[in-house]
Amino acid sequence: MTTKVKVISLIIVVCLFAVSCKHSDEHKYHTVTDKIEANSIVYKGETSSDIYNETIKKVEVKDGEFEFLIPERKSQIASYNCTECHSQPLEKLKEHKVGEKAAHWNIKLNHAGPETMNCTTCHGKNDFDNLQSLTNSEIDFNYSYKLCSQCHQDQFKDWKGGAHGKQLGGWAPPRVSNTCVNCHNPHSPQFEKRWPVRFNTTVEKERE
Ligand code: HEC
Ligand code: HEC
Ligand code: HEC
Ligand code: HEC
């Protein structure tokens, strides 16, 4: 063998070794999923999605096997605490000067129907700082999903499981999900029907 051939075969051996080493590293994982899971424990130096949800004030949901976080609501409700005004009976509050606008005039109930629902279905007959269930149990404003789940069990179960609604700040734990009232106005919960967005190809062609 000439020296040239020797050198070339040595290079080939080294290359093969390098390739096989890389290959054996791949075999640390049985499947692609294993590899993704191993690499996602620490992602870009982070071990959780906390940094993406830092600015949101959260409360904990615990329901059977489900444990996750939802945005806190009370600090977001303009007229909370309600008892700032609702410390006297409604009849007293309703005594207005002529021409004065009623409080909450902008809230129009468009949910179920008047046979099923009015303000007192959800708001305290006595305690205005809490919501109330159909059997008059207190429900904290931060946990208003409990109110909705009385009548919308299917959506509630889907929501708990993560199928209805939206997860915030990615899929890494801890899970933070929007709560019902982040998307639905409780007083008028349905969304307006609208046409799908359509790209106008006709106009585009005319311009060519
Ligand atoms: C700035 C004062 C004020 C605050 C704060 C306030 N309310 Fe009221 N609310 C009133 C007054 C006044 C009335 C009586 C309605 C009217 O003006 O004729 C009223 C009436 C109501 C009614 C009865 C409406 C009806 O038509 O029978 C409900 C329900 C209600 N308030 C819920 C709430 C809830 C829930 C909160 C807190 C999230 C709240 N209010 C905070 C002043 C207030
Ligand atoms: C289906 C249950 C339900 C009914 C019926 C209902 N509310 Fe509410 N209301 C809620 C929930 C839940 C919230 C808190 C929403 C949130 O977290 O932003 C709320 C919030 C409010 C607030 C505070 C809103 C703000 O932005 O300051 C007022 C005032 C209020 N309701 C008055 C009324 C009045 C008056 C009626 C009747 C016309 C009524 N509600 C009927 C569930 C209900
Ligand atoms: C007392 C029972 C009751 C409670 C409590 C209640 N709902 Fe409803 N809701 C109904 C009924 C009845 C309808 C009308 C029937 C239907 O469309 O499913 C309705 C309609 C809706 C719709 C529209 C459905 C559609 O097909 O367009 C949404 C969204 C909704 N509710 C969300 C909520 C949310 C969010 C809450 C909690 C803040 C809530 N509901 C609390 C009974 C209730
Ligand atoms: C991230 C936003 C979001 C959250 C959170 C959310 N919803 Fe919805 N919800 C929607 C959208 C979008 C629709 C579909 C509206 C449509 O098709 O017109 C919907 C539809 C509904 C409907 C109508 C029936 C249906 O399934 O299409 C009900 C009832 C409802 N939601 C109740 C709830 C309740 C109760 C909760 C909380 C447990 C909740 N939603 C949480 C966005 C949300």
Side-chain angles (χ1 to χ4, degrees):
M1 253 199 263
T2 63
T3 333
K4 206 173 170 188
V5 170
K6 269 187 193 159
V7 168
I8 288 173
S9 31
L10 185 67
I11 289 170
I12 289 171
V13 167
V14 167
C15 285
L16 278 175
F17 185 69
V19 168
S20 78
C21 275
K22 188 161 179 282
H23 200 68
S24 76
D25 185 49
E26 292 283 311
H27 277 269
K28 264 192 356 209
Y29 310 108
H30 279 286
T31 62
V32 177
T33 325
D34 285 351
K35 189 176 176 183
I36 293 171
E37 273 170 8
N39 287 327
S40 57
I41 293 169
V42 180
Y43 179 71
K44 291 187 178 168
E46 297 292 339
T47 51
S48 82
S49 63
D50 271 342
I51 46 154
Y52 304 111
N53 296 317
E54 246 170 12
T55 52
I56 308 171
K57 218 172 142 196
K58 299 169 277 282
V59 296
E60 213 171 330
V61 174
K62 273 194 190 144
D63 191 301
E65 59 181 301
F66 298 101
E67 276 187 35
F68 55 100
L69 301 161
I70 54 172
E72 181 270 353
R73 289 300 305 162
K74 285 195 250 191
S75 65
Q76 306 297 315
I77 302 171
S79 51
Y80 197 82
N81 293 348
C82 314
T83 44
E84 270 175 34
C85 301
H86 287 278
S87 50
Q88 34 181 339
L90 267 180
E91 299 80 60
K92 192 99 184 97
L93 284 174
K94 283 186 179 174
E95 289 167 10
H96 286 284
K97 293 192 192 96
V98 187
E100 209 179 330
K101 232 177 202 170
H104 319 311
W105 57 272
N106 53 339
I107 294 177
K108 300 263 179 316
L109 205 55
N110 179 16
H111 191 171
E115 312 82 22
T116 318
M117 220 185 278
N118 60 31
C119 311
T120 53
T121 311
C122 305
H123 293 294
K125 292 181 180 79
N126 313 309
D127 173 15
F128 273 85
D129 279 343
N130 283 295
L131 295 159
Q132 71 182 26
S133 80
L134 297 172
T135 54
N136 290 342
S137 316
E138 277 183 7
I139 298 173
D140 190 294
F141 270 94
N142 282 340
Y143 300 92
S144 54
Y145 65 85
K146 290 182 185 172
L147 183 75
C148 317
S149 72
Q150 298 177 104
C151 306
H152 301 291
Q153 270 290 311
D154 288 350
Q155 288 78 14
F156 171 63
K157 284 181 194 151
D158 285 349
W159 174 76
K160 271 195 299 190
H164 188 108
K166 185 181 189 303
Q167 197 149 324
L168 301 168
W171 293 93
R175 172 184 160 192
V176 184
S177 284
N178 262 336
T179 186
C180 315
V181 292
N182 287 126
C183 302
H184 297 286
N185 175 345
H187 306 130
S188 183
Q190 60 279 24
F191 290 96
E192 293 284 315
K193 294 267 179 296
R194 44 178 200 184
W195 292 104
V197 177
R198 208 178 68 133
F199 183 63
N200 194 337
T201 47
T202 330
V203 173
E204 204 65 17
K205 279 204 185 98
E206 279 166 6
R207 283 184 191 154
E208 272 172 9

